[in-house]
């Protein structure tokens, strides 16, 4: 036993030594080459022959700023009362107004640029965005960040209508789903590329949700604004698909985070149920793997450093430390392509006790092409892209899967 332990530790130290040597070697390479080797700059595209994009009618979906949102709640009240209430709540009014003006000026630039090309442009926001608008345009251009992009995508239910986002505030927002940040200040160049067909189509897969057992009518809730009502969703006997597709993820669990979620899960068409006690399940697309999926599963540098100390390596947690590099490699490998046909599931805070899960052996996270979830919850919800919520209480069963016809058509510029 002692010899086995010594040999095991010897293997561990040898592996870590080789890893350290490898990383030191990698540091000597050019930074861009290192990023390519580690997969940091990977761009995943489904290669489809590109034709020039027909653009006659453009629908601009504009971000609703915090200032506009707050002001809307006062409706007929005077501006003084509105501002006084914001001050009372400790809001930075100057900052709210600054970012409101910044966004509106950017919106004006986008519209002016598009109209200068002879295009028919209509501007909407979350309060007046409709399926009819989607049907009547050639391309949808969300202006804002990833939240606005998700809003714009929510009413697109096929893989034909292009959605192309511009980040209106790249200094404050990453805008992973939008065009590269340099086009935020070079709108003309972006439109030139679109009209010339100088891009590659990227079909981002989305999650289709079918309710296998549920009430015939479901009352969805729009989480970002209680004033924005959604019509009751009526599910027919023949087709119980929910009329929304998840671009990032679907989350299922109790609405009260302190309450344990009781769920049954089947993977990839299996007839075997796994009974779970957890804090909910997050099912992600490749697009969503850079979002909530990454936040749930990423390893902080502190955790990696503590693991290294368990094998008598005392790493620092600085920028170029072994712990930092290993954490970065691990976290980057959590990301997978937006056009991948599989979904990633994560069981949040799985209770691993003598009898849970039942049967034993389920992994906290993994991949699936089909996932069935049944609720044994008290007050649970099925939430799409963190925005639209459906009740998902005891007995409700949902089938999650990816179909190519449900993908969202976006673009990647060739440069």
């Amino acid at each position: 036993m002692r010899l086995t332990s010594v040999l095991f530790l010897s293997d561990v130290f040898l592996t870590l030594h080789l890893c350290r040597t490898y990383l030191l070697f990698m540091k000597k390479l050019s930074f861009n080459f290192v990023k390519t080797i580690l997969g940091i700059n990977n761009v995943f595209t489904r290669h489809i022959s590109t034709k020039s994009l027909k653009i006659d009618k453009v629908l601009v979906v504009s971000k609703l700023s915090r200032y506009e949102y707050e002001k809307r709640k006062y409706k007929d009240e005077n501006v003084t009362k509105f501002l006084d209430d914001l001050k009372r709540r400790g809001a930075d009014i100057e900052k709210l107004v600054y970012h409101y003006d910044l966004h509106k000026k950017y919106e004006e630039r986008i519209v002016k640029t598009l109209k200068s090309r002879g295009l028919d442009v209509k501007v909407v926001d979350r309060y007046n965005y409709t399926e009819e608008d989607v049907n009547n345009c050639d391309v949808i251009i969300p202006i804002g960040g990833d939240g606005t992009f998700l809003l714009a995508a929510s009413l697109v239910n096929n893989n034909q209508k292009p959605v192309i986002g511009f980040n209106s505030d790249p200094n404050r927002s990453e805008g992973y789903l939008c065009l590269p940040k340099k086009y935020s200040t070079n709108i003309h160049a972006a439109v030139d590329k679109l009209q010339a067909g100088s891009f590659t189509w990227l079909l981002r897969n989305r999650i289709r949700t079918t309710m296998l057992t549920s009430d015939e009518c479901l009352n969805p809730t729009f989480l970002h604004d209680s004033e924005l009502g959604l019509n009751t969703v009526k599910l027919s006997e023949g087709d119980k698909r929910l009329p929304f597709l998840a671009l990032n993820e679907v989350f299922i669990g109790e609405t009260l985070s302190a309450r344990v979620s009781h769920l049954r899960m089947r993977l990839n068409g299996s007839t075997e149920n796994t009974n779970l006690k957890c804090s909910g399940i997050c099912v992600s697309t490749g697009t969503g793997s850079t979002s909530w999926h990454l936040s749930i599963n990423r390893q902080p540098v502190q955790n990696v450093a503590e693991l290294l100390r368990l094998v008598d390596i005392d790493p620092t947690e600085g920028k170029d430390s072994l712990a930092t590099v290993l954490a970065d490699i691990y976290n980057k490998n959590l990301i997978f392509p937006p056009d991948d046909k599989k979904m990633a599931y994560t069981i949040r805070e799985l209770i691993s006790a003598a009898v849970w899960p039942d049967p034993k052996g389920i992994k906290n996270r993994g991949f699936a092409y089909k996932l069935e979830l049944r609720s044994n919850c008290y007050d649970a919800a099925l939430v799409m892209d963190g925005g639209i919520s459906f009740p998902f209480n005891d007995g409700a069963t949902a089938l999650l899967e990816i179909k190519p016809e449900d993908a969202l058509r976006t673009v990647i510029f060739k440069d």
Side-chain angles (χ1 to χ4, degrees):
M1 180 67 73
R2 181 175 297 176
L3 177 60
T4 302
S5 299
V6 171
L7 290 174
F8 172 75
L9 287 174
S10 175
D11 289 342
V12 170
F13 283 123
L14 177 61
T15 301
L16 289 171
H17 173 72
L18 291 174
C19 184
R20 186 194 294 273
T21 303
Y22 170 76
L23 292 170
L24 289 173
F25 168 73
M26 294 293 284
K27 278 187 177 182
K28 295 179 182 179
L29 301 177
S30 69
F31 181 66
N32 287 333
F33 184 59
V34 171
K35 289 199 296 183
T36 302
I37 293 293
L38 297 180
I40 295 173
N41 274 348
N42 285 348
V43 175
F44 307 106
T45 59
R46 186 182 302 180
H47 295 287
I48 302 173
S49 58
T50 305
K51 299 179 180 179
S52 58
L53 179 61
K54 177 196 173 186
I55 307 178
D56 292 324
K57 295 183 177 181
V58 178
L59 179 66
V60 171
V61 180
S62 186
K63 168 185 174 180
L64 185 75
S65 69
R66 171 74 182 280
Y67 179 80
E68 290 174 287
Y69 171 71
E70 294 286 355
K71 188 176 180 180
R72 180 184 174 86
K73 292 193 297 185
Y74 287 80
K75 297 179 181 177
D76 298 330
E77 301 286 350
N78 59 51
V79 176
T80 302
K81 179 175 174 53
F82 160 61
L83 295 177
D84 287 344
D85 193 36
L86 284 182
K87 290 178 181 178
R88 180 181 57 80
R89 289 157 49 194
D92 187 337
I93 297 176
E94 289 186 4
K95 184 177 180 180
L96 293 179
V97 172
Y98 169 78
H99 288 292
Y100 164 75
D101 289 339
L102 187 72
H103 174 73
K104 283 303 178 184
K105 288 177 181 177
Y106 189 82
E107 177 188 304
E108 290 173 5
R109 287 179 56 204
I110 288 277
V111 171
K112 183 178 179 181
T113 300
L114 294 172
K115 286 185 174 181
S116 70
R117 306 298 179 94
L119 305 180
D120 182 3
V121 182
K122 180 178 180 180
V123 180
V124 297
D125 61 23
R126 70 169 63 251
Y127 290 103
N128 54 16
Y129 180 39
T130 67
E131 290 184 11
E132 184 179 357
D133 292 325
V134 174
N135 295 332
N136 290 336
C137 72
D138 299 312
V139 63
I140 300 169
I141 296 183
I143 303 175
D146 287 341
T148 308
F149 191 99
L150 290 171
L151 170 68
S154 67
L155 295 185
V156 181
N157 289 315
N158 60 59
N159 64 8
Q160 298 302 311
K161 191 78 64 174
V163 180
I164 303 165
F166 282 83
N167 189 344
S168 62
D169 193 357
N171 293 324
R172 225 172 39 129
S173 167
E174 285 295 334
Y176 287 109
L177 299 175
C178 301
L179 294 176
K181 292 183 178 181
K182 66 180 181 179
Y183 293 106
S184 292
T185 55
N186 199 350
I187 302 170
H188 280 283
V191 177
D192 286 341
K193 285 180 174 291
L194 293 173
Q195 291 185 314
S198 183
F199 59 84
T200 302
W201 290 120
L202 171 57
L203 297 182
R204 296 178 178 270
N205 277 323
R206 296 185 285 182
I207 299 174
R208 174 190 294 189
T209 303
T210 303
M211 304 302 293
L212 302 181
T213 59
S214 178
D215 297 333
E216 292 185 2
C217 294
L218 296 175
N219 294 312
T221 301
F222 194 86
L223 299 181
H224 296 305
D225 193 339
S226 58
E227 293 182 11
L228 187 62
L230 291 171
N231 295 328
T232 298
V233 174
K234 294 183 180 180
L235 302 177
S236 66
E237 188 64 32
D239 187 0
K240 292 192 174 184
R241 284 182 294 176
L242 295 181
F244 302 100
L245 298 165
L247 179 58
N248 270 353
E249 74 278 312
V250 172
F251 174 79
I252 293 176
E254 291 280 3
T255 55
L256 181 63
S257 59
R259 183 180 285 138
V260 175
S261 298
H262 293 250
L263 299 165
R264 298 181 187 180
M265 183 167 70
R266 289 183 182 179
L267 292 175
N268 299 326
S270 171
T271 57
E272 183 179 75
N273 283 309
T274 300
N275 296 294
L276 304 170
K277 282 185 177 182
C278 59
S279 295
I281 295 178
C282 181
V283 185
S284 171
T285 64
T287 296
S289 67
T290 63
S291 185
W292 198 359
H293 170 80
L294 180 61
S295 297
I296 294 172
N297 293 296
R298 69 181 304 124
Q299 288 297 322
V301 174
Q302 178 185 356
N303 287 8
V304 177
E306 289 174 1
L307 288 172
L308 291 174
R309 291 188 187 101
L310 292 177
V311 289
D312 294 332
I313 293 179
D314 188 18
T316 65
E317 298 178 23
K319 181 179 179 181
D320 297 321
S321 70
L322 177 60
T324 299
V325 175
L326 288 176
D328 189 57
I329 295 172
Y330 178 88
N331 294 332
K332 289 295 189 299
N333 282 325
L334 293 170
I335 300 170
F336 59 103
D339 59 354
D340 203 307
K341 295 180 181 179
K342 62 180 180 290
M343 303 171 289
Y345 72 87
T346 302
I347 306 171
R348 297 185 65 197
E349 299 158 2
L350 174 64
I351 296 176
S352 297
V355 295
W356 296 97
D358 179 30
K360 309 290 281 185
I362 191 74
K363 293 182 179 180
N364 284 54
R365 65 181 179 89
F367 291 97
Y369 63 85
K370 184 183 294 185
L371 198 150
E372 185 178 311
L373 288 164
R374 182 179 178 87
S375 172
N376 293 124
C377 296
Y378 174 74
D379 182 23
L382 183 153
V383 184
M384 295 181 172
D385 288 336
I388 301 172
S389 173
F390 292 87
F392 197 73
N393 296 319
D394 191 27
T397 304
L399 174 65
L400 277 57
E401 54 190 339
I402 284 178
K403 300 287 186 180
E405 59 266 31
D406 295 334
L408 184 73
R409 184 172 292 269
T410 65
V411 303
I412 296 291
F413 282 163
K414 295 179 180 180
D415 60 357

